């Protein structure tokens, strides 16, 4: 069952896991001269983020990015003098923005932390089933592959986890301050770590299984545990 | 704080995260002829498993393995005609054996599933603090990097998750059949997925943070949640 194609649904689309960070193929573009350096840089970042997600950083070659974007080798080198600089830009611009859009903004705006967290899990499950493919967590994939290879990259990855953790922690503490359930047992930062770990790990299992079963199970258990108000 | 060196303790050593799958350097050996093909194959597998863990699969070159093991290129090619065959052997022999030793055997032998699970988390935290470095989960690292690149590798990774999940599921169901707490809410397989996701994700965060904070938080919350008998 776990290898059956994911069920298609008409659930909402989450940009994080569906578009820039999905696993669809990027169409090749013919090489062209451009006087739009910002657009060119963005095309390279989009293609790199997508290739890192589906093939890994190690397997993504500059040649692949040149073919995928139509950017010349010289222009690519001008914006990203090294592959490491490209990894840092993907983490600090693309991954950070998507953690913000998928998690930070939605949890912050939710009625309670628990409702916001469960809503994010639910919408990612729906988006992955709509997409029919699980690519894993963009931040988690890069952390698993790269964190021990370069300390500057590792620090940048750790900063993204920090932002994510702080947003959930702040919401949990805010809930508690207005008398909502203390499902974190007084340890808001620990609870935030647990939520991020569950999401990251369930997407890693899902990438191997090509299934949303682990993500669905995490949603069910989080719903039970946060409703219990231990 | 998260970037401070991990505190050293005298905790027990868990082979999975400390030795073959740790992050210490392998000493180079001088090349030598050998009439011990099994030993030679094992040396290559050990070196490959360790390099995948610390540098990723993509960054591990055959040249690195030749230098690390002293094996000739011809002998290496004889045992592993392709890098993919090496990945499959690492997953099916080294990673499978370590999931069994760290998780399956210990949870199966524990008084209850909850006690076994918490004991594994505790011992891995202790081992990582003793080691002073977090390398992530060997299975999770390879799943995050490789699952979408090759379907045979993905299937092999999914089989490892299956074995792991089945062992926890069986223990949870056994606990329930003898009247222990039903902390899984009737969904033993879902609970197993959640435990594996928590462990995998907390090790990924820990690899970025070089901290055991997420793993410790997961241990605390799992202890609370399983004790609650919702």
């Amino acid at each position: 069952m776990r290898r059956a194609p994911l069920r298609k649904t008409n659930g909402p689309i989450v940009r994080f896991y569906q578009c820039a960070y999905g696993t669809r193929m990027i169409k090749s573009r013919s090489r062209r001269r451009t006087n739009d350096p910002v657009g060119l840089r963005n095309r390279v970042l989009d293609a790199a983020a997508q290739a890192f997600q589906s093939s890994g950083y190690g397997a993504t070659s500059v040649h692949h990015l040149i073919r995928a974007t139509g950017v010349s080798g010289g222009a690519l080198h001008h914006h990203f003098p090294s592959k490491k600089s490209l990894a840092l830009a993907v983490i600090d611009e693309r991954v950070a923005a998507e953690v913000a859009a998928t998690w930070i903004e939605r949890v912050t705006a939710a009625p309670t932390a628990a409702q916001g967290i469960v809503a994010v899990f639910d919408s990612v499950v729906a988006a992955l089933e709509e997409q029919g493919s699980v690519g894993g967590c963009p931040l988690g994939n890069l952390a698993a592959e790269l964190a021990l290879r370069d300390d500057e990259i590792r620090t940048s990855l750790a900063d993204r986890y920090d932002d994510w953790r702080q947003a959930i922690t702040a919401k949990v503490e805010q809930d508690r301050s207005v008398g909502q359930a203390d499902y974190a047992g007084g340890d808001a930062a620990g609870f935030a770590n647990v939520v991020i770990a569950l999401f990251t790990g369930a997407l890693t299992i899902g990438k191997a299984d090509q299934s949303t079963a682990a993500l669905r199970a995490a949603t069910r258990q989080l719903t039970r545990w946060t409703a219990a108000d231990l």
Side-chain angles (χ1 to χ4, degrees), chain A:
Chain A
M1 193 172 103
R2 96 186 115 73
R3 272 164 218 147
L6 285 171
R7 184 167 56 85
K8 293 267 179 184
T9 69
N10 292 317
I13 289 171
V14 175
R15 194 164 62 96
F16 201 166
Y17 299 94
Q18 186 111 11
C19 298
Y21 294 86
T23 55
R24 65 190 163 81
M25 295 297 291
I26 297 173
K27 283 190 188 139
S28 293
R29 301 181 195 203
S30 59
R31 182 170 301 186
R32 58 176 187 249
R33 294 195 176 278
T34 174
N35 55 5
D36 175 19
V38 174
L40 181 150
R41 187 173 180 283
N42 280 332
R43 286 213 306 283
V44 174
L45 279 183
D46 288 339
Q50 192 160 47
F52 295 170
Q53 177 77 344
S54 57
S55 307
Y57 173 84
T60 300
S61 66
V62 169
H63 183 67
H64 165 86
L65 297 175
I66 289 170
R67 267 188 303 141
T69 59
V71 167
S72 74
L76 196 147
H77 184 79
H78 170 75
H79 288 284
F80 305 104
S82 65
K83 199 172 166 189
K84 173 180 165 177
S85 69
L86 185 56
L88 287 169
V90 165
I91 295 164
D92 293 340
E93 299 178 45
R94 290 299 182 271
V95 175
E98 301 286 358
V99 168
T102 304
W103 273 97
I104 297 177
E105 289 163 18
R106 296 173 68 190
V107 167
T108 304
T112 68
Q115 287 177 63
I117 290 161
V118 169
V120 171
F121 272 79
D122 277 340
S123 66
V124 171
V125 166
L128 291 173
E129 293 182 350
E130 165 77 21
Q131 184 175 5
S133 166
V134 180
C137 176
L139 181 54
N141 289 344
L142 291 174
E145 184 181 355
L146 297 182
L148 284 181
R149 272 177 56 194
D150 182 284
D151 212 53
E152 199 177 348
I153 290 177
R154 187 186 69 68
T155 302
S156 179
L157 293 162
D159 286 344
R160 303 288 74 75
Y161 280 117
D162 245 11
D163 295 343
W164 189 353
R165 193 160 37 223
Q166 277 173 24
I168 297 176
T169 303
K171 188 72 182 181
V172 168
E173 285 173 347
Q174 185 193 319
D175 283 2
R176 199 168 47 159
S177 75
V178 297
Q180 296 280 354
D182 176 25
Y183 32 73
D187 177 16
F191 178 76
N193 251 337
V194 164
V195 168
I196 297 169
L198 258 180
F199 185 76
T200 303
L203 277 169
T204 303
I205 298 170
K207 190 169 184 174
D209 287 350
Q210 285 303 300
S211 153
T212 55
L215 217 50
R216 283 179 172 277
T219 314
R220 274 196 307 275
Q221 293 292 339
L222 270 176
T223 304
R224 286 177 69 229
W225 288 331
T226 53
D229 190 15
L230 305 182

